[in-house]
Amino acid sequence: MARSSSARRHVGSETPAKEPIVVSGTKTESSLDTLIHERHRLAIVSTLAVHPVMSFSELRDTLDLTDGNLSVHAQKLEAAGLIECHKTFDRRTPRTEFRLTKLGLRTLEDYLAHMERIIARVRAR
């Protein structure tokens, strides 16, 4: 059975939520992007915002992730268009490099602005 477009998505789902999230009984201005809200994906996007190009091993070691964890999260971010993955060979050694896309940077900036609004509301209490 197909899910209707108005169906509520839960935090941690594979696609970004489209409906506003309820915070203390009020709706936020925009929905929380659950794709990058996941801590490893947020770490990948944030790291690539600071380091324009990183190899697979550099990113893995910086974030202390396993090969499989980085691979799975990177594939989800790449499928959403937030990062680019370039695979090349240095002789016979494969080399994978990641870059943040313009959409990825914009998505991160929107996410951070959203979180700042939530923080400001909490501090205003």
Side-chain angles (χ1 to χ4, degrees), residues 87-95:
K87 296 183 180 195
T88 59
F89 283 89
D90 182 10
R91 296 184 187 173
R92 291 185 172 197
T93 306
R95 179 166 175 87

Side-chain angles (χ1 to χ4, degrees), residues 41-79:
R41 292 193 290 261
L42 180 57
I44 292 167
V45 170
S46 298
T47 301
L48 291 174
V50 177
H51 303 281
V53 178
M54 289 189 84
S55 71
F56 184 93
S57 58
E58 290 170 331
L59 193 54
R60 177 198 63 210
D61 295 346
T62 298
L63 301 177
D64 195 28
L65 297 174
T66 64
D67 287 359
N69 234 345
L70 177 55
S71 180
V72 167
H73 290 300
Q75 286 174 7
K76 290 178 183 181
L77 292 168
E78 185 181 20

Side-chain angles (χ1 to χ4, degrees), residues 4-58:
S4 73
S5 62
S6 64
R8 180 111 175 126
R9 293 193 177 106
H10 300 284
V11 173
S13 67
E14 298 307 318
T15 56
K18 298 298 182 200
E19 297 82 23
I21 290 182
V22 176
V23 178
S24 300
T26 62
K27 291 186 177 182
T28 59
E29 294 153 342
S30 62
S31 61
L32 184 65
D33 188 338
T34 57
L35 177 68
I36 69 167
H37 184 68
E38 196 285 326
R39 69 184 177 111
H40 293 310
R41 292 193 290 261
L42 180 57
I44 292 167
V45 170
S46 298
T47 301
L48 291 174
V50 177
H51 303 281
V53 178
M54 289 189 84
S55 71
F56 184 93
S57 58
E58 290 170 331

